[in-house]
Amino acid sequence: MKKAMFFIACMGAMFCSLAQETSTDAAKPLLTKQDYLKKSKGQRTGAIVLISAGGAMAFAGMIVVVNDAGNDIGNNIVNGLNAAFDPSAPTATSKNHTAISTVLIVAGVGAMLGSISLFKSASKYKRKAYSLSAKNEMAPLLQRSLVCYKPIPSLTLKIRL
């Protein structure tokens, strides 16, 4: 008998210590249609900002690349003409901004690619908002040994498969 009681106590302690705690539905607030639409709008705005800023950064990086290429070509022509007419003339130097242009282009493309996930998430929340509806459902209740149906406000979710 002592072994059985000890075994039951050990099993109880094991189940209590290793069990995962489940959250109750009361702890998690239910989101309404307006909440989902607000989330969707915020994510869509963030996606538009990311794609616009990314495009501007990539465009600025391309301008720096084209400007450097134009300066290099112009300096080569100037140096060639100076050397042809006056060998002792100083040569024109060019600043190369390849690191800046590379960072701008890579960051811009990365921001534009990052906006894709925000657009998808925004559309998901928008679909979820339009599939939610609140209505009164009839629920069976026991009153004085009789089963009667009483309307209870409920939130329904349509899942399209």
Side-chain angles (χ1 to χ4, degrees), residues 81-145:
L81 289 175
N82 284 342
F85 292 115
D86 186 13
S88 64
T91 59
T93 59
S94 68
K95 289 184 176 179
N96 201 353
H97 301 102
T98 57
I100 294 171
S101 63
T102 304
V103 167
L104 282 173
I105 291 171
V106 169
V109 169
M112 288 190 290
L113 290 176
S115 70
I116 294 171
S117 64
L118 282 177
F119 275 122
K120 285 189 175 203
S121 180
S123 67
K124 180 183 101 174
Y125 279 129
K126 192 171 188 179
R127 276 195 315 268
K128 199 173 202 180
Y130 286 127
S131 68
L132 287 175
S133 63
K135 63 180 181 179
N136 287 332
E137 298 238 350
M138 302 302 280
L141 294 175
L142 186 64
Q143 288 183 346
R144 297 188 191 146
S145 72

Side-chain angles (χ1 to χ4, degrees), residues 10-161:
C10 287
M11 291 296 286
M14 184 180 73
F15 283 124
C16 288
S17 64
L18 297 177
Q20 181 179 1
E21 183 179 330
T22 58
S23 63
T24 60
D25 289 336
K28 263 197 268 185
L30 293 175
L31 295 177
T32 62
K33 184 177 182 177
Q34 288 79 20
D35 294 335
Y36 281 120
L37 286 175
K38 186 177 178 183
K39 268 187 171 184
S40 173
K41 184 178 179 185
Q43 287 183 343
R44 184 166 168 79
T45 303
I48 290 171
V49 166
L50 267 181
I51 202 164
S52 301
M57 287 170 54
F59 186 69
M62 294 302 268
I63 288 175
V64 170
V65 167
V66 169
N67 189 22
D68 282 346
N71 285 341
D72 289 343
I73 292 171
N75 287 338
N76 289 339
I77 292 172
V78 168
N79 289 339
L81 289 175
N82 284 342
F85 292 115
D86 186 13
S88 64
T91 59
T93 59
S94 68
K95 289 184 176 179
N96 201 353
H97 301 102
T98 57
I100 294 171
S101 63
T102 304
V103 167
L104 282 173
I105 291 171
V106 169
V109 169
M112 288 190 290
L113 290 176
S115 70
I116 294 171
S117 64
L118 282 177
F119 275 122
K120 285 189 175 203
S121 180
S123 67
K124 180 183 101 174
Y125 279 129
K126 192 171 188 179
R127 276 195 315 268
K128 199 173 202 180
Y130 286 127
S131 68
L132 287 175
S133 63
K135 63 180 181 179
N136 287 332
E137 298 238 350
M138 302 302 280
L141 294 175
L142 186 64
Q143 288 183 346
R144 297 188 191 146
S145 72
L146 294 174
V147 176
C148 63
Y149 290 91
K150 186 175 179 181
I152 295 178
S154 63
L155 185 66
T156 60
L157 174 64
K158 297 177 189 174
I159 300 174
R160 291 183 282 174
L161 299 177

